Amino acid sequence: MKKLALAIAPVIALLATAPAALAQKIPLNNISNYLNGLTTMQSEFTQINPDGTISSGTVYIHRPNRVRFEYKNTNQLVLASGGQVAVFDAKSNQGPQIYPLSETPLSIILAPNVNLARQGMVTGHSEVKNTTVVTAQDPAHPEYGNIQMVFTNPTELRQWIVTDDTGKKTTVILGEGRKGVSFQPSTFVIESELQRRR
């Protein structure tokens, strides 16, 4: 099952280089606390697709378990809510491709309780060019792929790279995010989007 859509979105190109004094690896506990404290966020994003093409748009995150990727100049959309991911292909007249959110690496950061200290979850944790890079997977299902997250210090998610179950990589680079944003409930409802497109 292709998870192209949700591999989509997520890693952020760093807009600035952190001072050398801050060049230290952020502890996993701090990163877990940061993600658990992130309830809503809206950000522009740039996406590097597995085939090398580049897309852009706006991402809306409402933890837990909800995200919406809207792409510029196209009717393409990716929605996650109710434990499912729906990929609306702008070039298709068929309904969306739907699959379980739990089978995508992005579910790791959308989970109700992020615990990166869980055994087998983190497979990489390093300091790279004044950023902290964390690679994580579902310990029970490593075959679903992984997500590599890039954080600046003070702790801020800047980008992520999703490697899906077929080995394809999708990079999402975030712009300056607006946190604590209020969204209409229908923003994340797959059925609402289905009705709008009929």
Side-chain angles (χ1 to χ4, degrees), residues 2-3 7 9 32 43 48 51 54 57 62 68 98 113 128 131 177:
K2 292 184 178 179
K3 312 278 188 314
S32 294
S43 176
I48 303 172
D51 63 0
I54 297 176
H62 190 174
R68 179 185 181 102
I98 296 179
N113 180 31
V128 180
T131 67

Side-chain angles (χ1 to χ4, degrees), residues 47-60:
Q47 178 177 307
I48 303 172
N49 302 304
D51 63 0
T53 59
I54 297 176
S55 307
S56 63
T58 304
V59 59
Y60 308 84

Side-chain angles (χ1 to χ4, degrees), residues 104-124:
T104 72
L106 191 57
S107 65
I108 292 170
I109 61 175
L110 294 176
N113 180 31
V114 178
N115 179 12
L116 296 176
R118 182 179 168 193
Q119 185 174 3
M121 175 165 280
V122 171
T123 60

